[in-house]
Amino acid sequence: MAQQDAQNGGSEKNNAAAAVVSFVAVKPQLLVEAPKANDAVLFYKAAFGAEEVSRALNPKRKADHELPLILSAELKIAGSSILVSDLAVDSTAPAKTGGNGIVLCLETEDVEAAVAKAVRAGAVKEGEVVEGEGGACCGGLVVKVKDPYGFIWQICSPVKASAEVAA
Amino acid sequence: MAQQDAQNGGSEKNNAAAAVVSFVAVKPQLLVEAPKANDAVLFYKAAFGAEEVSRALNPKRKADHELPLILSAELKIAGSSILVSDLAVDSTAPAKTGGNGIVLCLETEDVEAAVAKAVRAGAVKEGEVVEGEGGACCGGLVVKVKDPYGFIWQICSPVKASAEVAA
């Protein structure tokens, strides 16, 4: 398949589904009932020695809440990343409709090709590719797919380095 | 606290809760309705380019099923581990009572101390520490705790290197 892509130049839109897709990270994202994500982060630090790498707040809600909601906080446990997010009822975050409280974020430079490949394999796209709200997950484009076993995968551009690091 | 542990020698059982606990891995474990875990593994390979690192089958069920159930298969995506397991109704696997389809496996050399620390921080122990059934998760002792936000963490001994690797 890689050879075929090379022959076709791999640049035509119709070939996106056949492109070689690579991922740069996979991170479980824990969706916590708002506004408890901050408490959850404190708990994971106390219980599991998690280190907070970055935190992105929801700018749209800063005026309405004493504590701004957490778009996502990235924690490290044993070298692995865990994301913790406030799941607000009126949030426009793509994670909103995640079924079971945990979604799996897959970061890739080519979101469209990754989605096309997943759908060809049997996943179902949930909504369209949109611009993410930023944060530890979803540095740019983001879309969710549900796999045939009920799990939600959030395919998104790699996180930008601009996320603020909490003290 | 580390200094205090050092002064106390850190070896007495009563000090287990205060011991410095470190984790060697954290792996999301996807619980799939049996016997579809094998299909799920194939799907993750096709959709996300996952590589299978190891697979442990349930020895207790080999006689009853054409396809033995998967205790856990360890996949790598972007360098991260994902576990996929058959969730049988009559399974004795510790993962059985996982709430939402995904549990987070935390591997540590000191399961008892890790559980004690998590409980002190506010987690609730679900059942006792037991000998795991082996597999990509749970190389020895295993116990589950539910955190205050509803997520299930499976604290277990690091996986043994003896798990068979599927072709």
Side-chain angles (χ1 to χ4, degrees):
Chain A
M1 192 176 293
Q3 192 182 6
Q4 190 185 343
D5 289 344
Q7 284 170 357
N8 293 342
S11 58
E12 290 166 42
K13 184 147 187 170
N14 288 346
N15 288 338
V20 174
V21 175
S22 65
F23 296 97
V24 295
V26 50
K27 302 171 184 173
Q29 182 180 25
L30 281 54
L31 307 176
V32 177
E33 184 193 356
K36 294 182 184 169
N38 185 61
D39 293 341
V41 168
L42 294 175
F43 170 82
Y44 297 130
K45 289 179 180 178
F48 305 132
E51 289 178 37
E52 186 165 344
V53 176
S54 65
R55 176 182 295 211
L57 303 174
N58 191 334
K60 293 184 190 162
R61 299 183 65 87
K62 268 181 180 164
D64 305 314
H65 290 262
E66 199 164 24
L67 286 175
L69 296 185
I70 295 178
L71 219 47
S72 68
E74 179 161 3
L75 308 181
K76 286 266 188 187
I77 303 175
S80 293
S81 290
I82 304 278
L83 306 176
V84 180
S85 300
D86 271 315
L87 182 63
V89 173
D90 60 345
S91 168
T92 58
K96 176 184 168 191
T97 53
N100 60 11
I102 300 184
V103 301
L104 296 154
C105 287
L106 274 175
E107 295 181 2
T108 178
E109 295 287 353
D110 195 342
V111 170
E112 295 280 4
V115 170
K117 188 177 178 188
V119 168
R120 275 196 312 156
V124 175
K125 206 166 139 186
E126 309 239 299
E128 294 305 309
V129 176
V130 297
E131 281 286 332
E133 299 189 28
C137 182
C138 315
L141 298 175
V142 57
V143 66
K144 287 191 309 177
V145 300
K146 182 185 273 191
D147 74 31
Y149 311 94
F151 301 103
I152 304 287
W153 299 76
Q154 188 156 272
I155 298 174
C156 55
S157 308
V159 58
K160 296 188 183 85
S162 60
E164 62 184 291
V165 177
Chain B
M1 190 178 290
Q3 194 182 7
Q4 188 186 344
D5 288 345
Q7 285 171 357
N8 292 344
S11 58
E12 290 166 44
K13 186 147 187 171
N14 289 346
N15 288 339
V20 174
V21 175
S22 66
F23 297 96
V24 296
V26 49
K27 300 171 185 171
Q29 182 180 26
L30 281 53
L31 307 175
V32 177
E33 184 193 355
K36 295 181 184 169
N38 186 61
D39 293 339
V41 168
L42 294 176
F43 169 81
Y44 298 131
K45 289 178 180 178
F48 305 131
E51 289 178 35
E52 185 165 343
V53 176
S54 65
R55 176 183 295 212
L57 302 175
N58 190 333
K60 293 183 188 162
R61 299 183 66 86
K62 269 182 180 163
D64 305 316
H65 290 262
E66 200 165 23
L67 284 175
L69 295 185
I70 295 178
L71 219 46
S72 67
E74 179 162 3
L75 308 181
K76 287 266 189 188
I77 303 175
S80 294
S81 290
I82 303 278
L83 306 175
V84 180
S85 299
D86 270 317
L87 181 65
V89 173
D90 60 344
S91 168
T92 57
K96 176 184 167 191
T97 54
N100 59 12
I102 299 184
V103 301
L104 294 155
C105 287
L106 274 175
E107 295 182 3
T108 178
E109 295 289 351
D110 194 343
V111 170
E112 295 280 5
V115 170
K117 188 177 177 187
V119 168
R120 275 196 311 155
V124 175
K125 207 167 137 184
E126 309 239 299
E128 294 304 308
V129 176
V130 297
E131 281 286 334
E133 298 187 30
C137 183
C138 314
L141 299 176
V142 58
V143 65
K144 286 192 308 175
V145 299
K146 182 185 274 191
D147 75 28
Y149 311 94
F151 301 103
I152 304 287
W153 298 76
Q154 188 154 274
I155 298 174
C156 56
S157 309
V159 59
K160 296 186 183 84
S162 59
E164 61 185 290
V165 177

